Amino acid sequence: MRKSSSGAGLRWHFGLPARPRLKPRLQAQACSTLLLAMIAAGCRQDMHDQPRYKPLAASEFFPDGRSARPIPAGTVAIDELQNTDPFYTGYTGNDPANFMDTIPTPITAELLQRGQERFDIFCSPCHDRLGTGHGMIERRGFKIPADLDSDRIRQAPPGYVFQVISNGYGAMPDHRDQIPAADRWAIVAYIRALQLSRSATVADVPAQNRSQLGVQ
Amino acid sequence: MPQFFSRNANSVARLSLLGIVGAVGALACYGYWIQGSHYETRQGEPREQPVPFSHDHHVGGLGLDCRYCHTTVETSSFANIPATKICMNCHSQMWTVAAELEPVRQSYRTGKSIQWTRVHDLPDFVYFDHSVHVRKGIGCSTCHGRVDRMPLTWQAESLRMKWCLDCHRDPAQFVRPRDQVFNMAYTPPSDQLALGKQLVSEYRIISRTSCSTCHR
């Protein structure tokens, strides 16, 4: 495509030598082809970026730039109605010192497996997979956590451990937003299993499974 | 009246018609090639981020599970980009003076979001859902590559429709056991097709190729 100024004004010629006698029909054809190509190229982005938000996308409308709006102050969320339910608080009778001494869901093998999976995701970075407290993050300089198999934690009621996960403890961050309440209870149950396992003897293992341990 | 068209006008018209057809064809080929090229899909191109967050250090080095940060990947279409609070779980106490983490601390102090640069971005006319893929045994690394070796995140696959369909037509090539979905180092066994067939029936995987699966 070359630009030439011949005749009255500035004109565009397409591929052909710049001859002032180029036929108007040809010009129209060439122009419309180019136009079509440009329209085709132009369409793309409109359908690609439609006027709606993907989750967490930036917004130009709100001054803080978020499309995911923060909850206005004073809103009572549906979960907050459960503020008095021990399942969500870990304590009974509206008394934060009165920790639940049972786990408020049936303990099944599935629950323990779920607890193990969640413990390995959320707790093991600091507490390590056995709960000794020498996880990877601790080795990089985080405060050394309590051994989850210490007497104090063994004797602590399940509601206490639940509450530590929900609200944090000392240097330990809270995990309320990362872990739903049902999973927190699964973790509490699994910690009990971990504690049991760390002082278990071969005699605790059912006879038919002992060969898997490589001991007799 | 003088001759309006010159003698060779007919052949010029025919030739230019041919030329136009050829040009349109070439343009289409070029467009097709450009669209599939890494230049257009931005495959393999690490993006600048406001904080030089490294999956290589956090996943490869520290062994964090994807779900520690991408908390909703199992339950929703959106995998979630972690809130500043999740970074501060550790960085409230580690690397507290590091300059590269200043945007994180600032975000935590002021409540303003960190503006991450999107790496993957499907067009808005495509519907994608993480939870179904995770449930049906498609591993993160199948679609995102070895994220645990990325100092800055990049897009490992083209995300073209052809790529989605290559798997949807025959998922048996890619499925893995559910407990391996988050394992970055998973390598398919040599008899992948046999395992794949078995898992496809076990997880009741349906080959979904109707347009409305992804364009709804």
Side-chain angles (χ1 to χ4, degrees):
Chain A
M1 192 156 71
R2 288 186 294 133
K3 210 189 309 181
S4 73
S5 53
S6 65
L10 212 58
R11 297 239 301 270
W12 296 87
H13 293 282
F14 303 92
L16 296 166
R19 279 193 298 149
R21 273 188 290 129
L22 189 67
K23 298 300 162 302
R25 262 233 336 265
L26 287 188
Q27 280 189 358
Q29 272 172 358
C31 276
S32 57
T33 314
L34 189 79
L35 209 69
L36 272 178
M38 277 159 64
I39 288 172
C43 277
R44 252 192 95 91
Q45 292 315 309
D46 289 355
M47 293 303 281
H48 275 227
D49 303 315
Q50 294 164 18
R52 66 175 168 85
Y53 294 118
K54 284 191 172 186
L56 299 189
S59 161
E60 277 164 16
F61 181 76
F62 296 103
D64 65 357
R66 293 180 194 162
S67 63
R69 303 308 303 149
I71 299 160
T75 310
V76 179
I78 265 185
D79 309 34
E80 279 170 31
L81 298 175
Q82 296 153 339
N83 249 349
T84 51
D85 184 344
F87 187 84
Y88 294 92
T89 60
Y91 50 78
T92 45
N94 241 344
D95 172 10
N98 193 3
F99 294 112
M100 287 191 70
D101 49 13
T102 53
I103 294 172
T105 47
I107 311 289
T108 59
E110 287 85 66
L111 184 83
L112 290 178
Q113 263 157 15
R114 177 81 183 170
Q116 175 177 33
E117 188 186 76
R118 298 293 125 173
F119 182 90
D120 288 351
I121 298 171
F122 293 108
C123 316
S124 73
C126 301
H127 288 276
D128 109 356
R129 295 206 167 197
L130 293 177
T132 60
H134 299 295
M136 210 52 174
I137 306 301
E138 181 267 324
R139 278 188 254 163
R140 300 295 166 100
F142 207 86
K143 181 176 177 185
I144 303 179
D147 185 345
L148 295 185
D149 191 35
S150 65
D151 278 343
R152 196 165 56 81
I153 313 285
R154 271 172 179 271
Q155 270 137 37
Y160 173 73
V161 178
F162 179 88
Q163 181 277 139
V164 169
I165 306 176
S166 311
N167 303 325
Y169 172 85
M172 173 175 149
D174 71 88
H175 291 76
R176 182 184 289 279
D177 295 334
Q178 271 161 297
I179 316 175
D183 282 347
R184 280 178 247 159
W185 285 116
I187 292 175
V188 172
Y190 177 67
I191 290 178
R192 286 285 182 254
L194 265 184
Q195 290 166 343
L196 203 65
S197 75
R198 279 176 63 193
S199 54
T201 61
V202 177
D204 295 324
V205 180
Q208 72 269 24
N209 292 349
R210 270 179 216 169
S211 61
Q212 292 171 10
L213 296 174
V215 290
Q216 217 43 53
Chain B
M1 194 177 154
Q3 184 84 341
F4 192 73
F5 287 103
S6 69
R7 266 174 185 282
N8 55 3
N10 275 351
S11 36
V12 165
R14 283 201 195 99
L15 259 179
S16 64
L17 268 182
L18 210 71
I20 286 167
V21 170
V24 169
L27 205 74
C29 288
Y30 179 69
Y32 184 77
W33 173 76
I34 270 279
Q35 278 187 30
S37 70
H38 287 202
Y39 171 75
E40 168 74 19
T41 61
R42 304 186 73 184
Q43 202 173 337
E45 178 192 324
R47 305 296 156 82
E48 285 296 321
Q49 298 288 355
V51 183
F53 175 79
S54 161
H55 283 94
D56 184 14
H57 285 158
H58 290 86
V59 180
L62 302 172
L64 292 181
D65 190 287
C66 312
R67 290 164 285 185
Y68 191 91
C69 294
H70 302 297
T71 45
T72 57
V73 74
E74 293 167 298
T75 50
S76 113
S77 62
F78 182 59
N80 192 35
I81 295 295
T84 307
K85 157 73 174 62
I86 294 185
C87 310
M88 290 306 274
N89 276 357
C90 298
H91 289 295
S92 60
Q93 290 176 57
M94 328 186 65
W95 286 60
T96 48
V97 289
E100 61 257 65
L101 277 158
E102 182 51 30
V104 177
R105 292 190 293 269
Q106 195 187 341
S107 160
Y108 197 60
R109 272 197 311 272
T110 61
K112 289 191 76 164
S113 310
I114 306 174
Q115 297 208 3
W116 299 105
T117 309
R118 216 173 223 293
V119 180
H120 301 73
D121 194 5
L122 286 177
D124 285 359
F125 52 78
V126 181
Y127 174 78
F128 178 78
D129 189 322
H130 272 99
S131 61
V132 63
H133 292 94
V134 171
R135 286 294 301 160
K136 301 270 176 161
I138 307 294
C140 310
S141 61
T142 305
C143 299
H144 292 302
R146 288 299 296 265
V147 174
D148 63 330
R149 291 187 184 152
M150 297 183 185
L152 279 177
T153 319
W154 63 78
Q155 179 181 317
E157 298 291 341
S158 69
L159 303 195
R160 303 302 317 279
M161 178 163 140
K162 173 181 186 302
W163 173 74
C164 309
L165 285 174
D166 279 346
C167 178
H168 276 217
R169 290 208 177 98
D170 182 17
Q173 309 166 68
F174 300 102
V175 270
R176 52 171 93 171
R178 253 177 215 148
D179 58 359
Q180 297 297 323
V181 163
F182 295 90
N183 181 359
M184 281 285 122
Y186 178 83
T187 38
S190 51
D191 57 341
Q192 168 65 31
L193 275 185
L195 175 76
K197 285 218 174 68
Q198 182 210 326
L199 291 177
V200 161
S201 67
E202 191 181 326
Y203 298 162
R204 299 208 193 85
I205 296 177
I206 302 162
S207 165
R208 294 198 187 268
T209 51
S210 111
C211 314
S212 62
T213 306
C214 311
H215 305 293
R216 40 175 101 180

